Amino acid sequence: MKYTTLSGQLLKEMLINGAYELENNKEYINSLNVFPVPDGDTGTNMSATIMSAAEEIKAADDTIESVANAASMGSLMGARGNSGVILSQLLRGIAKKLKESDEIDTDVFAEALNEGVATAYRAVMKPTEGTILTVARESAEESMLYAQEIEDFEDFLVKVHEKAEETLSRTPDMLPALKQAGVVDAGGKGLCLIYLGMIKRLQGKILSKDEGTSIKQEVKVDKTSVISNEIEFGYCTEFFIKTKNQNPDDFKNEILNFGDSLVVVGTEELIKVHIHTNRPGDVINKAMKLGELSKIKIDNMREQHESIISNESEENFHEKNSVSLDKVVIETEKEYAMVAVAAGDGIVNILKDLGVDFVIEGGQTMNPSTHDILDAINSVNSNNVFVFPNNKNIIMAAEQAREISDKNVIVIPTKSVPESITSIISFNPELSLEENISEMNEVIGSVKTGQITYAVRDTVFNDVEVKEGNYIGISAGNLINSGESLKETAKNLVDSMVDEDSEIITIFYGNNTSEEEAFEVEGYIQEKCPSAEVSVNYGGQPIYYYILSVE
């Protein structure tokens, strides 16, 4: 069947089909990771992002405007990792253009693709060519030419998809790291799959999610650091308002005095509301005057709190209460609060001891979404919140959370736990906020981080030959060495990082490494650098046998 225009219903089905095509192939996208490490997560992040959009789209009315708004809001709040954030910005720009139209032809769709590219490029501080941005841009630019000649949407999107694949095939020539690894850009391939899924719908193929491949990316929270003795507002209330021409800030002002931890974000057509209140009915009644409500969720936080302090088992606690990131608040308001992302119970405890108020347990393979980070920000009782992403793939999601938060959020762009520890230690309550921000950002550069994990495939990278199953050492984003012995790989990594100027060296050993092995590495470092202060800490982190910090 030929389609020269898209209705809201067809647009909805095409976007959902695109989401399923990516979801069902996310492990293939993960396999395109440049480094041969077991934490390739581009496919997982992109899939989580667009599946979040798909869930909102399913609940939307069958109008172009509603579908576009749902795609924009769902992807914004569900965005995980850099690839997910970029994808959410592409969808945001596309939605902005589409919702202006009562009817979508190929000309309008081409304009929307280019608006998406413009929005995504504005969101990235230093765009890198050879990534999803390039694939999106070149296919969008060509789509303007295709639209002049092609009216049928299937033929049009086939051409767009072909151009996207052609650009994707050239990404290794644009990024040497891709060529060395022998892969194409994972994010770009994800975008191609979304196009492919949309085409399949136009061809009459309705996709569904493959069994056993659904995303289950649980972000854990260290609850003991956020328990209060008394909870002033007992009901965590969340919902969406489907409305028309309503300003989210106006509604926010209406319910400002109904409770705390208030978040009202969205567009003039779709508003997300979160509030801790003792009067959820009053909040909902006011919201109903603006439009239709969906995804209403009310949790009794007092019951949840009592469950925690009565030492219920973790399993029973989750089963009874399904506590999410924003269900418990800190009692005493603070001038400054800190939120960090980390993996491993040892590292979580270290961060807590340093004064971090809220730990989102995540990192590699488990990137928290924009919504997760926003909830964490709103769960600390301070208007000034420092966020430490501790992973280069989480920084953009943290920045996106900052933009939509009504608090003063300061994202310290830490790419590792050692960077955040040094930055947190440098915080001085006697200094002004501006002075602390400057100092905390500056000290990041004084830390070198090394990591040891294992290879998931054969490759040659940075002239280092790697065999599947080998231990590999990584530092400063580079593959340093590879070997069959964990001890020797650790020693070689130390040799590349430690020099006569090294003063403080810290070893964090993971959940698959023994304390005895860690102290052997410490002994080697002490012999190599006798004047340095060397310490061993249990990190408990998955995937990485060691994380090394050198200052």
Side-chain angles (χ1 to χ4, degrees), residues 408-422:
N408 179 33
V409 178
I410 305 99
V411 177
I412 305 297
T414 52
K415 298 178 181 178
S416 67
V417 167
E419 288 185 357
S420 72
I421 289 174
T422 300

Side-chain angles (χ1 to χ4, degrees), residues 71-273:
S72 178
M73 179 59 70
S75 62
L76 175 71
M77 300 305 286
R80 296 179 189 268
N82 293 346
S83 56
V85 172
I86 291 172
L87 176 58
S88 75
Q89 293 298 315
L90 287 169
L91 289 172
R92 186 179 180 184
I94 290 169
K96 179 182 177 182
K97 183 64 183 177
L98 293 184
K99 71 181 183 181
E100 296 172 355
S101 307
D102 296 326
E103 192 175 73
I104 304 171
D105 58 17
T106 56
D107 285 310
V108 170
F109 203 87
E111 291 173 6
L113 291 178
N114 281 275
E115 182 64 33
V117 168
T119 303
Y121 268 88
R122 285 194 295 268
V124 180
M125 189 168 294
K126 294 181 179 179
T128 300
E129 294 307 313
T131 65
I132 182 176
L133 288 171
T134 311
V135 175
R137 191 194 72 247
E138 291 196 1
S139 58
E141 288 173 347
E142 288 296 307
S143 74
M144 297 296 287
L145 299 176
Y146 304 147
Q148 294 176 14
E149 303 171 354
I150 304 172
E151 291 185 354
D152 177 61
F153 256 100
E154 181 186 337
D155 294 341
F156 168 75
L157 278 182
V158 165
K159 295 290 289 184
V160 172
H161 177 247
E162 287 175 352
K163 178 59 183 179
E165 289 282 4
E166 187 273 327
T167 301
L168 179 70
S169 70
R170 292 188 284 107
T171 55
D173 297 326
M174 304 177 204
L175 278 179
L178 295 175
K179 178 166 283 189
Q180 274 199 304
V183 296
V184 294
D185 179 67
K189 182 59 180 178
L191 181 62
C192 290
L193 287 171
I194 294 171
Y195 286 153
L196 181 60
M198 295 170 71
I199 292 168
K200 287 182 177 180
R201 169 56 193 90
L202 294 173
Q203 294 171 339
K205 301 172 186 175
I206 307 295
L207 302 179
S208 61
K209 188 162 56 176
D210 288 348
E211 289 186 12
T213 63
S214 61
I215 296 171
K216 188 175 182 181
Q217 189 172 32
E218 183 179 347
V219 179
K220 299 179 181 177
V221 179
D222 168 45
K223 290 176 282 294
T224 61
S225 66
V226 294
I227 297 175
S228 62
N229 292 326
E230 295 180 6
I231 295 177
E232 181 179 0
F233 298 102
Y235 296 95
C236 176
T237 305
E238 296 179 278
F239 54 85
F240 285 87
I241 311 172
K242 298 176 183 178
T243 184
K244 289 186 181 294
N245 301 320
Q246 296 293 332
N247 188 327
D249 288 338
D250 290 342
F251 183 69
K252 179 179 177 180
N253 291 333
E254 276 195 56
I255 62 172
L256 199 58
N257 297 322
F258 280 54
D260 65 9
S261 295
L262 176 62
V263 181
V264 180
V265 296
T267 67
E268 293 180 351
E269 292 80 20
L270 187 67
I271 301 173
K272 177 178 172 60
V273 179

Side-chain angles (χ1 to χ4, degrees), residues 340-371:
V341 181
D345 52 341
I347 288 174
V348 168
N349 288 332
I350 290 169
L351 290 171
K352 284 169 50 184
D353 291 342
L354 291 174
V356 172
D357 301 274
F358 204 118
V359 179
I360 308 171
E361 193 168 340
Q364 290 299 108
T365 75
M366 195 168 61
N367 296 158
S369 69
T370 298
H371 187 275

Side-chain angles (χ1 to χ4, degrees), residues 22 59 200 202 263 284 300 304 310 323 325 337 353 357 359 380 402 424 445 490 492 501 503 506 536:
L22 178 55
K200 287 182 177 180
L202 294 173
V263 181
I284 288 172
N300 187 328
Q304 293 167 352
S310 65
V323 172
L325 291 171
D353 291 342
D357 301 274
V359 179
V380 295
R402 181 195 65 189
I424 291 165
N492 290 335
D501 295 324
E503 298 178 350
T506 308
V536 175

